Amino acid sequence: MNKVKSVFRTGDISSSSANSNTEFYENSSSSNKDNYEKGQYEINVNDISENNDDLSIEKHDGTSMKQGLKSRHVQIIALAGAIGTGLFVGSGAALAACGPAGLLVGYLILSVVVWLVMNQIAEMVTYIPVPGQTTVYALCQRYTGNPSLSFACGMNLYYAQALIVPAEITAAAFVIQYWTPINPGAWIAIFWVTSVAINFCAVKCFGEIEFWIGLIKIITIIGLIILGVVIFFGGAPNSHGVLGFHYWKHPGAFVEHLAHGNTGKFLACWTSIIKSAFAFILSPELITACAAEAEHPRVNLPKATSRFIYRMIFFYVCGSLTIGIMVAYNDPRLMNAIDAGASGAAASPFVIGIQNAGIPVLNHIVNAAILTSAYSCGNSQMFSATRTLHSMALRGEVPRIFARTNRFGVPIYSVTITGLIGLVAFLNVSNSSSIVFTWLTNISTVSGFISWIFIGIIYIRYRKAMDYHNMNDRVTFRPPLQIPGAWFSIFFFSLVALTNGYGVFFDFNANDFVAAYITLPIVFILYVGHMIWYKNYKMWAPLEEIDCITGLAEVEKDQAKYVPPVAKNF
């Protein structure tokens, strides 16, 4: 082990020169347990061996990962990595149920709250961005000290990410049906095989593919927003003067959802938040998972996080506004697609708006972009799911075989089991199985809400531990309003998770009720079952037992070696 000179100060009590960060921490907490006071860690970064360049938590034992993502990979993934069919296709159902104003309000509110979540997880990951310790599970284990809560958190996140994979693969297959009636099972097989193959490759290959597909997404959304401006001012072939906000007046800005008057308009906005959430689900977790395997994560992750809000505003808010300009909420094409249960380009409000405007060929180009987006989102969530499972395996919460990596740093067995879960996509080939598939996608969406609740809880415990140990001066990235933002995100997503199926109580249906709420008892059973099995009845570990130092020295050394690139442009 490399030696790290450490000094722990609690009045007249000090300890120095431990064999490792972990050994130091254990010795300090045990020797001073009776008279523990607030303390401060000091690390002399220069004392770390020059050979200690690998920031993975496991060295040379077949479980370590490699930091192969470049800065440009992380930045593009942060901007476009998780954009899939939620924005391009799923927004159509939200428009029909809520109206253009309800859709815009829903996307605006979600953008702000998800940005708060992104800031919380980014600060914790940036502090010690070590591969294997940046998943929500690892952060929960480290800063709450509750193994049962960590287990429930990790399993909830893993199956949410793993189930998004078949959802997006299926969506990509159905997008192709816009051009050809070939059975979607053939396309599902092709997309599944290529996604698994990409995730078996070195992380730099994944980053390069996501980089170029991300550029396609960005160019597509920018082009669609520009198109919305053109249609707004009457520049489309079928336009008869300036269109403006015509569809906000006729048929109207809101659909009075499930009730009349202002109550119906409020419910339209709330339903928009629930229906639009799939477009946002698990994007913060993806960004931090990628950042941990990137070069100089303490530099690149704050950059990506700072730009995250611009993605929210420009892509999601402006995109939803564009949809409300191009398509009426009662458009016949949109309503027919929803009634037919279409999940491909036929239900995309962007494609429908282009068809209504009379613009030839462009609908096919946009459909191709939707195809790449769906495929990319599934591919990204498979990557993120394998990292969650690898992190849990490192600590023995799942079989340790899932922690094994190949010479490229890829967790091969985690990729294998996640790929097998992706075969669930074939359920949608049979109409009788599509109900089961809908349940699984609903589970992943609600699991995303619960994951964001966990992040808020973890962040509050993290701040308490950092304050206790006087380590705040070592934090290199801390956006404003973090603690109020954490409390608000916990409240908001708890409310969304509890009310996501409120519509079923207006016209009760057992299948819809189970699909909306099955995730809540699953997470509860995971937590209680683990707690009883391991007899873990403590909610939080004492603050003096929270490890705020292991891995910090290596990270600070890596940051000290960083040389900012010289700009080559004018």
Side-chain angles (χ1 to χ4, degrees):
M1 300 288 285
N2 299 297
K3 290 192 175 184
V4 181
K5 183 182 292 183
S6 309
V7 179
F8 180 75
R9 297 194 302 223
T10 57
D12 297 330
I13 302 172
S14 67
S15 173
S16 62
S17 297
N19 288 333
S20 69
N21 291 340
T22 305
E23 182 182 36
F24 156 72
Y25 191 90
E26 291 173 350
N27 291 341
S28 299
S29 60
S30 61
S31 62
N32 301 299
K33 186 174 181 180
D34 296 333
N35 56 352
Y36 205 104
E37 302 175 10
K38 278 193 177 183
Q40 176 176 336
Y41 299 106
E42 288 187 350
I43 301 175
N44 187 341
V45 176
N46 295 325
D47 286 348
I48 301 175
S49 168
E50 289 295 329
N51 295 325
N52 190 25
D53 293 332
D54 186 2
L55 294 182
S56 62
I57 60 175
E58 300 288 339
K59 307 268 193 318
H60 312 297
D61 64 348
T63 62
S64 62
M65 293 181 173
K66 297 184 182 297
Q67 293 179 315
L69 294 177
K70 299 182 181 298
S71 176
R72 62 185 176 90
H73 295 152
V74 177
Q75 303 309 318
I76 292 298
I77 289 172
L79 288 173
I83 297 177
T85 54
L87 175 61
F88 287 115
V89 179
S91 54
L95 175 66
C98 312
L103 179 69
L104 179 62
V105 170
Y107 269 88
L108 186 60
I109 293 173
L110 275 174
S111 295
V112 173
V113 186
V114 174
W115 174 60
L116 295 175
V117 174
M118 180 71 232
N119 286 341
Q120 294 156 30
I121 190 172
E123 180 185 330
M124 293 186 287
V125 171
T126 302
Y127 178 58
I128 304 181
V130 177
Q133 292 200 30
T134 62
T135 63
V136 179
Y137 159 77
L139 294 171
C140 188
Q141 179 81 296
R142 182 167 198 155
Y143 296 117
T144 69
N146 185 338
S148 300
L149 189 68
S150 306
F151 176 76
C153 175
M155 291 306 300
N156 170 74
L157 178 59
Y158 174 72
Y159 67 67
Q161 293 167 330
L163 291 177
I164 287 179
V165 176
E168 294 292 350
I169 288 177
T170 301
F174 279 103
V175 165
I176 293 183
Q177 286 199 313
Y178 187 77
W179 295 306
T180 175
I182 295 176
N183 190 298
W187 300 112
I188 289 174
I190 293 171
F191 294 142
W192 179 84
V193 169
T194 53
S195 292
V196 173
I198 289 170
N199 277 274
F200 270 119
C201 297
V203 68
K204 64 180 180 181
C205 298
F206 164 82
E208 200 65 31
I209 291 171
E210 285 301 310
F211 174 80
W212 292 108
I213 295 180
L215 287 179
I216 293 174
K217 295 182 190 179
I218 292 171
I219 292 170
T220 300
I221 296 176
I222 292 174
L224 288 171
I225 292 173
I226 294 174
L227 175 64
V229 174
V230 172
I231 293 175
F232 182 91
F233 288 104
N238 289 349
S239 295
H240 303 284
V242 176
L243 179 64
F245 287 98
H246 172 76
Y247 295 131
W248 287 57
K249 300 175 182 177
H250 308 286
F254 287 97
V255 175
E256 294 183 357
H257 189 64
L258 299 176
H260 298 291
N262 291 332
T263 302
K265 293 178 182 179
F266 170 78
L267 293 178
C269 293
W270 194 250
T271 301
S272 174
I273 291 172
I274 295 169
K275 286 183 174 291
S276 302
F278 190 72
F280 296 81
I281 285 298
L282 304 179
S283 53
E285 293 89 335
L286 169 64
I287 296 168
T288 51
C290 292
E293 293 184 54
E295 300 170 344
H296 308 296
R298 264 201 166 188
V299 177
N300 290 318
L301 181 55
K303 286 182 182 178
T305 304
S306 299
R307 295 167 184 169
F308 189 76
I309 185 61
Y310 301 112
R311 161 192 159 181
M312 293 286 126
I313 293 174
F314 189 76
F315 292 159
Y316 287 117
V317 176
C318 293
S320 61
L321 180 61
T322 301
I323 290 170
I325 291 172
M326 295 171 64
V327 183
Y329 69 72
N330 62 350
D331 184 279
R333 281 194 176 100
L334 178 62
M335 301 308 293
N336 289 337
I338 293 173
D339 292 340
S343 58
S348 170
F350 291 107
V351 172
I352 292 172
I354 291 169
Q355 291 174 326
N356 291 343
I359 304 174
V361 182
L362 187 58
N363 57 317
H364 296 285
I365 296 174
V366 172
N367 193 54
I370 295 173
L371 173 63
T372 59
S373 296
Y375 178 77
S376 166
C377 185
N379 189 40
S380 298
Q381 292 300 337
M382 180 179 288
F383 171 88
S384 195
T386 59
R387 271 51 186 179
T388 298
L389 192 62
H390 171 269
S391 177
M392 296 184 71
L394 285 175
R395 292 157 181 81
E397 292 288 3
V398 296
R400 292 185 184 276
I401 191 174
F402 295 119
R404 303 295 297 178
T405 57
N406 61 14
R407 62 192 179 94
F408 301 112
V410 177
I412 51 177
Y413 296 107
S414 292
V415 173
T416 300
I417 190 66
T418 306
L420 291 175
I421 294 174
L423 292 174
V424 171
F426 285 99
L427 285 176
N428 239 15
V429 175
S430 170
N431 290 332
S432 61
S433 299
S434 60
I435 296 175
V436 178
F437 183 80
T438 301
W439 283 18
L440 295 176
T441 54
N442 286 343
I443 287 174
S444 66
T445 303
V446 180
S447 293
F449 296 147
I450 296 173
S451 178
W452 291 338
I453 295 169
F454 277 126
I455 289 173
I457 294 171
I458 297 164
Y459 183 80
I460 291 170
R461 296 301 301 173
Y462 155 83
R463 284 296 295 269
K464 287 181 180 293
M466 296 297 285
D467 291 342
Y468 186 91
H469 295 299
N470 289 336
M471 295 292 285
N472 287 304
D473 60 335
R474 309 293 276 278
V475 175
T476 58
F477 177 70
R478 177 167 290 170
L481 302 175
Q482 288 286 72
I483 292 179
W487 283 111
F488 179 75
S489 61
I490 291 171
F491 167 77
F492 180 81
F493 288 116
S494 296
L495 188 60
V496 173
L498 291 172
T499 61
N500 83 94
Y502 79 92
V504 74
F505 297 106
F506 286 80
D507 183 16
F508 189 80
N509 180 285
N511 288 335
D512 292 341
F513 176 82
V514 172
Y517 291 107
I518 188 63
T519 305
L520 301 180
I522 288 176
V523 174
F524 179 77
I525 291 170
L526 287 170
Y527 174 74
V528 174
H530 189 280
M531 178 184 67
I532 295 174
W533 182 264
Y534 290 100
K535 299 180 180 179
N536 171 52
Y537 302 112
K538 284 186 178 180
M539 190 63 193
W540 315 116
L543 292 176
E544 61 266 26
E545 295 179 10
I546 301 299
D547 181 2
C548 297
I549 190 172
T550 300
L552 180 60
E554 291 89 341
V555 168
E556 290 185 338
K557 180 174 177 61
D558 177 78
Q559 185 183 17
K561 291 162 55 179
Y562 174 73
V563 178
V566 178
K568 297 180 180 180
N569 57 318
F570 291 100

